[in-house]
Amino acid sequence: MIDIEAAIGVTRIGDLTGYDRIGIPVAMAVRPLSRGYCVAQGKALTFAGARSSALMEAAEGYHGENIDRPLHYASYAELKDAGAVDPQLLPRVRGRIVGAYERFLWIRGQTLSGDAALVPFECVHTDYSLPSRASPGVFLCSSNGLGAGRSFADSGLHALLEVLERDAEAVFRAAGLWTDMKWRVAFDALPEGDASRVVERLRSVDIEPHAWNITSDLGVPAIYVTLVDKREPLHSPVKLVSGSACREGGEAALLAALLEAIQTRATVIAGTRDDLYFDHYLDIDTQLVSAKLHLLETSVAGSVLPSSCNASIDALGGLVEEALGCSIVVVDLSLGICGVHVVRVIVPGAEGVPGHSEYARGVRARIAARKQ
């Protein structure tokens, strides 16, 4: 992987595993000249896998910052007949209203069936340097839906699953289902495998995992995990740490969510993320932490892992398109670097990143909230 490191500007691969006591590999890749986040993280059951994961995340950011595709400055009204996606179906900044005649940059992609489509450039790029004409502050900017892999299909599937993960979490949060224990996953019936071994490892170092089945109405398995550190005080930033994942099967989603939470712990301990500020460590709401712990300690999990689904971008995409009534758009950002394919997947009608500071609930989350 030396060639790709040089090509995308990675100057250092760091091993964060030893910062925590869990012992499951976490790596970071540093790109000092990034115009987004300089540090990318990776996790896996082996350090080689974690290193590769960090490099792929770094590759996603690099490609999102160095897009060499033609752009169109126009309004939705001007491009509607050319296949432009309706801006009303995309996650927007809280309080921001976009009109049909408002002009901004668009980039061309294609639907899963191969038809030409146009999406707002702000939804695609990850160049957050200022000042920026590319980010007029209309749409929610994030890396959600970026995917890197060794083939177009792999990168597309990875990207789509990430969008569905964030959508599932947003809908679950809006529905207020955290306190409904029928969605908590019981580990007693967990089959023998990597996920069960990670659970055992966590418990052996006094970290108790809790998981929720947050699979949405779209039917793609999604899991949310919270790790409770029994050795840490209430004001510790790693007393409660969470992670989520969406995969083709329930056990795979659980394993990925556990690894995500473990990566978050190591990153918080090491302090290596660009977006970890002082308030993350100092402004801990101990009353809220205590309330969450009380709920977890006095309740009994009643859910099982979700069942598997067909794991291909075409199969999953077809299922999602039918449910949402919109065509998924894939923007190919690949630059021909070391055989790495990078895409951005846009799913009109899906929710944005619920943890984003400017996130505003979309239609799906608002409907879920009204059903409480």
Side-chain angles (χ1 to χ4, degrees):
M1 293 290 248
I2 299 299
D3 290 341
I4 190 172
E5 291 175 35
I8 65 176
V10 170
T11 60
R12 177 189 174 196
I13 300 291
D15 185 355
L16 303 184
T17 311
Y19 282 90
D20 203 354
R21 65 179 187 271
I22 299 173
I24 292 177
V26 177
M28 70 173 185
V30 183
R31 288 192 306 123
L33 299 181
S34 169
R35 296 192 296 276
Y37 292 120
C38 292
V39 179
Q41 287 83 25
K43 66 283 183 187
L45 296 177
T46 65
F47 183 72
R51 182 180 184 277
S52 177
S53 174
L55 279 173
M56 287 297 103
E57 184 174 296
E60 291 172 4
Y62 178 86
H63 284 73
E65 298 163 19
N66 296 278
I67 297 174
D68 65 350
R69 304 294 190 266
L71 301 178
H72 307 268
Y73 185 66
S75 68
Y76 171 63
E78 293 173 285
L79 298 177
K80 181 179 180 180
D81 292 339
V85 171
D86 186 348
Q88 305 301 330
L89 299 175
L90 302 173
R92 297 190 303 279
V93 170
R94 185 186 299 116
R96 187 64 160 84
I97 298 173
V98 56
Y101 294 94
E102 182 174 353
R103 301 184 112 204
F104 39 79
L105 293 171
W106 297 74
I107 187 171
R108 189 170 297 279
Q110 66 177 35
T111 65
L112 296 181
S113 59
D115 295 329
L118 288 154
V119 293
F121 186 56
E122 190 174 21
C123 298
V124 176
H125 78 87
T126 56
D127 182 349
Y128 305 136
S129 56
L130 297 174
S132 174
R133 184 186 176 195
S135 294
V138 177
F139 302 98
L140 207 61
C141 289
S142 74
S143 61
N144 187 32
L146 270 177
R150 290 297 177 181
S151 70
F152 184 82
D154 287 345
S155 58
L157 178 61
H158 170 77
L160 176 59
L161 287 172
E162 183 174 63
V163 175
L164 298 181
E165 169 199 328
R166 302 291 173 57
D167 174 82
E169 183 182 345
V171 171
F172 196 85
R173 285 192 185 194
L177 298 176
W178 300 111
T179 57
D180 190 341
M181 291 306 106
K182 73 179 181 181
W183 302 107
R184 278 264 311 280
V185 175
F187 290 141
D188 296 343
L190 199 61
E192 178 65 25
D194 289 334
S196 64
R197 285 188 284 272
V198 171
V199 169
E200 291 173 5
R201 176 59 189 166
L202 289 165
R203 287 174 170 170
S204 73
V205 292
D206 295 327
I207 296 174
E208 184 63 32
H210 301 271
W212 287 259
N213 177 2
I214 63 170
T215 304
S216 75
D217 55 310
L218 300 181
V220 184
I223 296 290
Y224 186 91
V225 162
T226 291
L227 304 182
V228 178
D229 193 326
K230 296 180 180 180
R231 299 182 191 177
E232 292 290 322
L234 292 178
H235 62 267
S236 169
V238 292
K239 181 65 177 179
L240 296 177
V241 172
S242 300
S244 58
C246 185
R247 294 292 186 272
E248 69 282 2
E251 190 176 357
L254 174 60
L255 175 62
L258 287 166
L259 292 177
E260 183 71 26
I262 290 168
Q263 172 184 278
T264 300
R265 269 185 59 95
T267 302
V268 170
I269 294 169
T272 50
R273 276 277 297 197
D274 306 49
D275 56 350
L276 285 176
Y277 304 112
F278 285 117
D279 58 359
H280 188 88
Y281 296 88
L282 299 178
D283 297 341
I284 308 295
D285 187 340
T286 55
Q287 288 187 333
L288 179 60
V289 172
S290 181
K292 289 181 177 180
L293 289 174
H294 178 73
L295 175 66
L296 293 172
E297 292 166 357
T298 58
S299 59
V300 178
S303 179
V304 296
L305 291 174
S307 57
S308 300
C309 63
N310 196 333
S312 73
I313 185 170
D314 291 330
L316 287 183
L319 178 111
V320 172
E321 288 180 336
E322 182 178 358
L324 298 181
C326 302
S327 295
I328 293 171
V329 179
V330 181
V331 182
D332 188 359
L333 305 179
S334 305
L335 296 171
I337 298 175
C338 304
V340 173
H341 296 261
V342 178
V343 303
R344 171 78 84 159
V345 168
I346 305 293
V347 183
E351 291 293 316
V353 182
H356 196 291
S357 60
E358 297 181 313
Y359 167 74
R361 286 177 177 174
V363 173
R364 285 170 53 73
R366 292 198 299 271
I367 292 175
R370 287 200 293 268
K371 291 180 178 179
Q372 287 191 64

